[in-house]
């Protein structure tokens, strides 16, 4: 049943269940079982074998699967860093320090957004690092964890997908290079094409604009409004009845005698260690040629993350050990318990990620993405609507498969082949539409690894993050679709950007007329 309409059933089942039940592991498990059964034509023994294989390849796939294992270890190390930052009182000290400089709730939100934009090296790294730095500030000013997760998720992938100096940019430039190879009538290189495509990514433009506006004016919809109301009026930053990745247990000891360096130094070393390792591994893998584009194209992101994570975790533990002599609250026996508490705090996120990877493997075996892409390639549609059609298709693929990289990896070559033959003038717009749709679908998908890591970095319940972010992502997608319709019919980037800007302006004027809960609270 590979590459047939039946191949889309497992992701539909998993996504429908997770939205209805809010039980992520159960829903992913049902999707995994359904995928295995469909893949083996409902043969029980073969299905069990596929189930075992789908989990085994996460750790061993024709050799040690370093990519997945290092991501898991990095999450656990991040839990350890969080535990010792709490043990040492670093979070409390940093919140006090930041409160003296960040004077308002709006300022706390804007700091988070700007951090998300500045850390553009990798979306995994962005989601987890920004969450660690921003959480004490947003907690102090009663910003809900759901909104923090939205800020993180809606700046991580969008900024990475348009940055040439990032793990995303390097991968995309490489794919574009294969599309352009041998096309002598095209007068630009892969890097030039990528740079030209950036202003055509209307989803990124709309998403970042809305994030900034929401940070300034607090526009809340549906579930997000509920989370913000509870945070402001009752100080309830998250639902205490749900599992929150990164949260310590109630009996986990912390104190108010820490220093700002107890938080900043481990995070700074985490960042410096990760970036340095990315540059070094990229330099070595590129044949020791110091070319920034080659370096980021060949960098080993998981190895770099775990290198930075080890450095940050060791720094956090050492800073706690240094407190033992000068602080009676700090105890030697809490070192081991702190490490274990940090690992426990990330267990939920790790299991969700493993289940999502298993489902992704089975969806890939069912060729779900190929089926969706072929459905468009076979269709006889006007070239003027191909950009918006590719945007929607990429969104559906990323939503269904939980991977933006897998979606644009499949669709970029297909879109390139179609447009080079049919309408070369719309080639870059169509390729950009694929990237935009992949990020959009990724934002909406509860089985996406970046969505999982964003909720983990923010300390938010995963499904709370998915449900609260959805209205903002859909709004950004609707605006982006208008841009792709305009550029498809006119071929004019200025006209398309103008249409996007006009719609955003109208939307912001409409939203500005609403009296928000926060404004009422501040007036009182």
């Amino acid at each position: 049943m590979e590459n047939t309409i039946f191949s889309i059933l497992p992701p539909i089942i998993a996504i429908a269940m997770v939205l209805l039940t809010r039980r992520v592991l159960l829903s992913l498990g049902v999707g995994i079982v359904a995928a295995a059964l469909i893949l083996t034509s409902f043969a029980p023994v073969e299905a069990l074998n596929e189930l075992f294989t789908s989990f085994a390849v996460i750790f061993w796939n024709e050799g040690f699967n370093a990519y997945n294992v290092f991501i898991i270890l990095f999450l656990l190390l991040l839990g350890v860093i969080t535990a010792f930052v709490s043990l040492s009182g670093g979070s409390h000290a940093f919140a006090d320090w930041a409160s003296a400089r960040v004077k308002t709730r709006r300022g706390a939100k804007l700091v988070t957004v700007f951090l998300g934009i500045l850390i553009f090296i990798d979306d995994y790294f962005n989601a987890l690092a920004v969450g660690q730095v921003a959480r004490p500030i947003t907690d102090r000013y009663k910003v809900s964890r759901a909104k923090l997760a939205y800020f993180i998720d809606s700046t991580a992938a969008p900024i990475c997908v348009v940055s040439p100096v990032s793990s995303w940019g390097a991968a995309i430039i490489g794919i574009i290079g294969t599309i352009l190879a041998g096309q002598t009538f095209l007068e630009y290189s892969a890097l030039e094409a990528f740079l030209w495509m950036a202003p055509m990514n209307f989803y990124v433009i709309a998403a970042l604009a809305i994030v900034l506006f929401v940070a300034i004016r607090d526009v809340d919809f549906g579930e997000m409004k509920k989370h913000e109301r509870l945070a402001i009026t009752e100080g309830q930053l998250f639902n205490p009845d749900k599992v929150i990745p990164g949260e310590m247990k109630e009996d986990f000891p912390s104190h108010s005698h820490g220093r700002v360096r107890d938080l900043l130094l481990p995070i700074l070393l985490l960042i410096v260690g990760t970036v340095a390792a990315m540059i070094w591994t990229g330099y070595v893998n590129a044949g020791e040629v110091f070319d920034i584009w080659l370096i980021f194209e060949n960098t080993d992101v998981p190895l770099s993350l775990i290198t930075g994570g080890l450095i940050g975790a060791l720094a956090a533990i050492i800073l706690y050990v240094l407190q033992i002599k000068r602080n009676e609250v700090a105890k030697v026996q809490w070192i081991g318990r702190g490490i274990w508490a940090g690992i426990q705090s990330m267990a939920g996120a790790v299991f969700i990620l493993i289940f999502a990877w298993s489902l992704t493997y089975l969806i890939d075996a069912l060729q779900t993405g190929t089926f969706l892409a072929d459905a468009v390639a076979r269709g006889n549609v006007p070239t003027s609507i191909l950009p918006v059609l590719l945007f929607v298709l990429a969104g559906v693929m990323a939503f269904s498969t939980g991977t933006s990289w897998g979606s644009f990896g499949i669709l970029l070559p297909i879109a390139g082949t179609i447009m080079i033959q049919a309408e070369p003038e719309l080639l870059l717009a169509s390729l950009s539409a694929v990237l935009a749709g992949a990020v959009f679908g990724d934002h909406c998908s509860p089985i996406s690894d970046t969505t999982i890591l964003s909720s983990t970095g923010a300390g938010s319940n995963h499904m709370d993050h998915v449900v609260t972010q959805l209205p903002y992502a859909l709004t950004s997608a609707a605006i982006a679709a208008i841009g792709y319709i305009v550029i498809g019919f006119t071929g004019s980037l200025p006209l398309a950007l103008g249409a996007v800007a006009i719609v955003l302006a109208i939307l912001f004027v409409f939203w500005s007329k609403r009296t928000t809960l926060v404004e009422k609270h501040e007036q009182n």
Side-chain angles (χ1 to χ4, degrees), residues 301-325:
V301 174
L303 178 59
S304 302
L305 285 173
I306 197 172
T307 301
L310 282 169
I311 294 171
L314 285 173
I317 294 171
I318 290 170
L319 287 170
Y320 179 73
V321 170
L322 293 176
Q323 283 194 0
I324 293 175
K325 289 185 178 180

Side-chain angles (χ1 to χ4, degrees), residues 171-182 189-191:
I172 294 165
I173 290 169
I175 296 172
I176 293 172
T178 62
I179 294 171
L180 301 182
S189 66
L191 175 59

Side-chain angles (χ1 to χ4, degrees), residues 238-259:
F238 53 84
N239 189 333
D241 297 327
K242 295 180 178 179
V243 176
I244 310 296
E247 286 300 316
M248 300 298 113
K249 294 183 178 180
E250 291 183 4
D251 61 349
F252 193 81
S254 62
H255 56 80
S256 58
H257 306 298
R259 300 177 182 179

Side-chain angles (χ1 to χ4, degrees), residues 279 282-295 298:
I279 293 172
Y283 172 72
V284 171
N285 293 338
E288 300 187 357
V289 176
F290 196 84
D291 181 307
I292 194 66
W293 311 115
L294 282 175
I295 285 173
N298 291 279

Side-chain angles (χ1 to χ4, degrees), residues 432-443:
S432 188
V434 170
L435 297 177
V439 174
F440 160 56
D442 198 62
H443 276 167

Side-chain angles (χ1 to χ4, degrees), residues 148-203:
L148 175 58
Y150 160 63
F151 287 151
I152 292 172
D153 204 0
S154 289
T155 52
I159 203 67
C160 287
V161 80
V162 295
S163 171
V165 186
S166 70
S167 56
W168 285 60
I172 294 165
I173 290 169
I175 296 172
I176 293 172
T178 62
I179 294 171
L180 301 182
Q183 306 298 329
T184 55
F185 66 94
L186 298 174
E187 299 178 351
Y188 41 76
S189 66
L191 175 59
E192 289 172 325
F194 180 86
L195 296 175
W196 276 107
M197 286 162 56
M200 298 179 187
N201 198 318
F202 304 129
Y203 179 79

